[in-house]
Amino acid sequence: MGTFEKTKLNRVKRGQNRAIYDTEVIHQIIDAGFIGHVGYIYDGYPISIPMAYARKDDKIYVHGSTANRMLKAILDSGKTSINIMHLDGLVIARSGLHHSVNYRSVTLFGEVKEIVNDQEKTTFIKDIVDQMIPNHWDTLRPMHQKELDRTMVIEFTITSASAKVRAEGVNDEPEDYDLPYWAGVIPVKQVLEAPVADKGYPSTIAIPEHITAHYNNFKQ
């Protein structure tokens, strides 16, 4: 699929040996989650907000209220950046300085525009829902027009990106390896606990198969 050109904007400076610009790897890291931190400037302050997202090819979709100040701010600027990170392990060293974590992260840069067509908005909101729980949208009631009217959908086109990945053990000082201190890696993973039904009708029916399947894929 190619690579992103290394530029002044996306180049990883610290830990360059962990930098990845391969498009396929970057897409894999994006697709492994559904929450990204979106950056914007408001009243002179840099702010980042966690947002649910979905990816389609080189585009990321996020949504929120039409009154959302973050969405308005990035539309005004025409561009933003998004960071997505997965924590994979705690790296426990022999000294405090060398403690670290194993992780997969991407930083995305790109241009934004608003999706105004109702059918397109619905499609991309569906994609965001299904990014969280696969095959979930088709089991929901249809959106009301007033809900759609109050929702803003933003299309973010990735123009530049880089990934940074650490997947290794402890990197202690050579002279410390014989010291009597425990060191190693504690793997970290995200797990789901058993679904809990809401009050009312859901408490009287079986959990849908697609939710049970998703739970089984990520339970402890």
Side-chain angles (χ1 to χ4, degrees), residues 75-86:
L75 277 176
D76 287 343
S77 68
K79 58 187 177 182
T80 190
S81 64
I82 299 175
N83 180 265
I84 298 161
M85 192 273 271
H86 309 292

Side-chain angles (χ1 to χ4, degrees), residues 1 3-5 9-10 20-31 53-62 78-84 106-113 154-163:
M1 296 180 66
T3 60
F4 285 98
E5 179 184 359
L9 183 63
N10 74 338
I20 299 172
Y21 302 91
D22 181 83
T23 305
E24 184 174 1
V25 173
I26 288 171
H27 286 176
Q28 288 172 353
I29 294 173
I30 295 171
D31 295 345
Y53 67 82
R55 180 185 71 85
K56 287 290 184 181
D57 299 321
D58 66 341
K59 302 183 188 303
I60 302 288
Y61 295 93
V62 298
K79 58 187 177 182
T80 190
S81 64
I82 299 175
N83 180 265
I84 298 161
V106 292
T107 301
L108 314 171
F109 305 92
E111 301 171 348
V112 297
K113 73 173 186 179
I154 299 296
E155 179 183 87
F156 169 87
T157 301
I158 304 170
T159 58
S160 181
S162 59

Side-chain angles (χ1 to χ4, degrees), residues 15 47 147 153 177 181:
I47 305 173
E147 293 174 322
V153 175
Y177 278 83
Y181 303 107

